[in-house]
Amino acid sequence: MPKRHFKRPGTPRFTALTSRTASWSMNRRLAAGIAALAVLAGAAGLTAYLTADTDKPAGSTPPVSASISPSPTASADGDSSGAVPNPPSTRDPVEFAKAAAGALWSYDTRRTTQPQHLAGLKAWMTKESKYTDWDSVASQVPDPTLWSRMHDNGQYATAKIAEGHIPQAFTKALGDNPGAITEAYVYAVTVSGKQSISWRGGGAGAEGQAITLAVQCRPDRDCALSGVSPRVAP
């Protein structure tokens, strides 16, 4: 049975994510809506919390199991083609973030190339360049070499979303200054769930995941993904 060397980014073994997200520039933080969160908070504390260096990359939690086979109903969109699903048509940031997390945690290296997978995720991004941080999203995906090795191993993953919510700090900040959101309309949303991974030879496992996403939801258009925070906000 092949060893589990090729794990989904965001798990403890995908250490490259930590260094990449920790090096966000101030402009990239703004693009992901982090600066907007700081305005809402009325202080630098929330920005420092969301962007602080940490040993735990965004989207990772300790494994919950190493022997659970994925459920057929666990895919983000119910499609077994391996392609990234289209973003939902919704103006609810929580519902959009839950769907986006499912897309980020699902992949099928047997049927989709790494460039195809990235192209699918690109469709989820906001078209407003000032508020988009594509690098933070692309960093959730293995590089071409690792993707090729995962393909050779027949690895794929599905996601089952447990819940999504606006972090407490964001909710409080929005209550203190409700008008501050009206420039970028970028919301922080934390999503948790379970990712089930399978590979050739009958290998399978599952582990808990959590991620904080920056989601833009303007009143006159559907929500879009702005970026991925380098730290999970409670």
Side-chain angles (χ1 to χ4, degrees), residues 165-221:
H165 66 274
I166 304 292
Q168 295 176 357
F170 187 92
T171 300
K172 181 181 184 304
L174 187 60
D176 292 342
N177 188 4
I181 192 71
T182 58
E183 178 181 348
Y185 281 99
V186 173
Y187 301 81
V189 184
T190 296
V191 180
S192 62
K194 184 177 72 173
Q195 182 187 54
S196 298
I197 307 171
S198 299
W199 57 94
R200 184 173 293 113
E207 54 191 357
Q209 296 286 352
I211 194 170
T212 296
L213 302 174
V215 176
Q216 186 182 52
C217 295
R218 291 197 180 277
D220 60 343
R221 69 192 71 164

Side-chain angles (χ1 to χ4, degrees), residues 82 108-119 141 147 151:
D108 192 338
T109 64
R110 303 168 303 174
R111 299 181 174 91
T112 308
T113 67
Q114 195 254 15
Q116 288 172 336
H117 189 77
L118 286 173
V141 179
W147 188 278
H151 168 77

Side-chain angles (χ1 to χ4, degrees), residues 81-170:
S81 68
V84 176
N86 293 324
S89 177
T90 179
R91 296 181 185 179
D92 184 330
V94 174
E95 290 306 309
F96 181 89
K98 289 164 66 176
L104 287 170
W105 296 336
S106 303
Y107 61 89
D108 192 338
T109 64
R110 303 168 303 174
R111 299 181 174 91
T112 308
T113 67
Q114 195 254 15
Q116 288 172 336
H117 189 77
L118 286 173
L121 292 176
K122 190 87 171 181
W124 289 69
M125 303 298 296
T126 176
K127 301 303 187 291
E128 296 184 43
S129 59
K130 184 179 180 181
Y131 300 111
T132 186
D133 184 1
W134 169 242
D135 288 347
S136 68
V137 176
S139 68
Q140 304 288 312
V141 179
D143 62 41
T145 299
L146 180 55
W147 188 278
S148 177
R149 294 171 64 191
M150 293 164 64
H151 168 77
D152 293 341
N153 206 38
Q155 184 168 317
Y156 63 96
T158 57
K160 186 171 184 178
I161 303 303
E163 68 90 32
H165 66 274
I166 304 292
Q168 295 176 357
F170 187 92

Side-chain angles (χ1 to χ4, degrees), residues 9-36:
T11 63
R13 288 182 187 148
F14 197 77
T15 56
L17 180 58
T18 305
S19 59
R20 292 184 67 175
T21 54
S23 64
W24 274 12
S25 67
M26 181 57 69
N27 286 339
R28 284 302 185 182
R29 290 171 185 163
L30 173 62
I34 302 305

